[in-house]
Amino acid sequence: MHSPAGEPPFDTHCRLCGAKLIVRSNRKRRVGILDRHSEWGIDTVCSGCGDEYGGTVSQIIFGSSGRTVRVLRLLRRSFSRIPFVDRLRRRRHAPEYSRADGSVDVLQLVAAMPFKVYGMNGGPLGLRLTGIGHGGSGRAIEHIYFSYKAGPLHLRRRALGAPVVDLRQGPLLDYLDMDVEALGSIRGIVDDRADFYRHWNFKKIERAPRHEMHADIAGAGAAVELTSWQEPEQVTLAHIRLHDHSIRATSLNLSEEELLECLRTLVVLQESQGTLTQHQQDFDRASQELQRLWTHLEG
């Protein structure tokens, strides 16, 4: 989240109605040295609906902040290159489903899912897998998440006009609050500005027209509910019900027709080794690309 230097990066508008938030207090708590990490305790009230907000927000500014910090970062990087420390660090931060080098093993992750996992086949509109995750309650896996992007990757800002599709799927998603999910998924693909809720909020989500259609997905008939907006950015949501499986697709810079074109390519990854292998290869390339960008940024 972006903010002027010295100011806490708090949300400036209400998530319920989009009205301006009034800041009653903000208390600076800590400033890190190596990462220039600042935290604030924020207390606000909405000028429109009166809803009250409070919590902790943080800001990390990357880049050099002086000779001392540069030396400390160099020492930290040098220490992490000691073989034992490097192996220990990789084990500590390695994802649950990972290979020896700590990178995500997409094949292993998909194989561990207790339900069918759907993925896009053939890279429609130039989209490739760039992000992956999963979650649930305790050790029970309840959903898996894929992020597909077209064009070059960026650390701080996405490429303007580039298509993005996020898929979140699992057998239990029908039980979630769909408006909360919709707002969260939109925030995940548009620029996370401090005034996000001015443009995207529950009132806007609730008022959006929705229509349902049927589409052939992975050889079966599926009910698809579509919602879309043209302003402030072209965002299209699709909620797919396929037997006892639920998929939420959130797209940026795609029309409803283009998103449906992508969804019609979905296949069951456990039953399509070629598509699953392509997902692994695309994700590996994206990870390497992001690593090069981070290396260049830390300089």
Side-chain angles (χ1 to χ4, degrees), residues 90-103:
R90 285 206 303 267
R91 285 200 300 268
R92 182 179 300 170
H93 298 288
E96 184 176 356
Y97 299 95
S98 60
R99 294 171 292 195
D101 62 356
S103 60

Side-chain angles (χ1 to χ4, degrees), residues 242-260:
L242 192 63
H243 305 303
D244 60 347
H245 195 81
S246 179
I247 304 173
R248 171 171 290 282
T250 309
S251 72
L252 181 66
N253 300 317
L254 293 180
S255 66
E256 291 186 1
E257 293 74 18
E258 289 171 324
L259 179 56
L260 282 171

Side-chain angles (χ1 to χ4, degrees), residues 115-299:
F115 48 81
K116 291 181 178 179
V117 177
Y118 294 80
M120 292 194 294
N121 180 37
L125 305 179
L127 291 160
R128 55 182 174 136
L129 182 69
T130 60
I132 189 170
H134 65 91
S137 302
R139 298 189 63 84
I141 300 173
E142 296 174 353
H143 67 263
I144 188 169
Y145 163 86
F146 290 148
S147 181
Y148 300 88
K149 293 182 174 65
L153 300 180
H154 299 265
L155 289 178
R156 295 180 176 176
R157 292 183 62 87
R158 55 180 167 76
L160 295 178
V164 178
V165 176
D166 284 358
L167 296 182
R168 189 171 187 263
Q169 57 182 298
L172 302 179
L173 297 188
D174 281 327
Y175 297 100
L176 299 177
D177 186 320
M178 300 315 294
D179 287 341
V180 172
E181 285 294 304
L183 191 60
S185 63
I186 292 171
R187 187 159 199 173
I189 63 170
V190 304
D191 281 340
D192 190 12
R193 300 180 300 266
D195 65 345
F196 171 84
Y197 292 123
R198 175 186 178 187
H199 307 287
W200 303 100
N201 48 71
F202 286 119
K203 181 184 290 186
K204 180 169 185 172
I205 299 292
E206 291 171 354
R207 291 180 175 178
R210 307 177 187 192
H211 60 278
E212 189 169 298
M213 60 168 295
H214 287 79
D216 182 66
I217 294 177
V224 182
E225 183 184 81
L226 289 164
T227 311
S228 61
W229 298 266
Q230 298 299 316
E231 297 293 339
E233 296 185 78
Q234 186 177 34
V235 170
T236 302
L237 302 184
H239 180 217
I240 303 128
R241 293 182 299 280
L242 192 63
H243 305 303
D244 60 347
H245 195 81
S246 179
I247 304 173
R248 171 171 290 282
T250 309
S251 72
L252 181 66
N253 300 317
L254 293 180
S255 66
E256 291 186 1
E257 293 74 18
E258 289 171 324
L259 179 56
L260 282 171
E261 176 186 340
C262 294
L263 297 178
R264 289 190 179 101
T265 73
L266 291 174
V267 297
V268 179
L269 292 179
Q270 291 97 329
E271 302 171 359
S272 180
Q273 187 61 42
T275 304
L276 182 56
T277 300
Q278 188 63 56
H279 274 58
Q280 180 73 72
Q281 293 171 350
D282 288 344
F283 183 76
D284 287 343
R285 281 193 289 268
S287 299
Q288 293 164 7
E289 190 174 336
L290 288 173
Q291 183 60 49
R292 287 194 295 270
L293 291 171
W294 275 115
T295 301
H296 177 74
L297 180 65
E298 292 182 344

Side-chain angles (χ1 to χ4, degrees), residues 55-70:
T56 301
V57 295
S58 62
Q59 182 181 48
I60 298 176
I61 301 174
F62 297 100
S64 174
S65 58
R67 181 178 180 182
T68 301
V69 172
R70 288 197 297 272

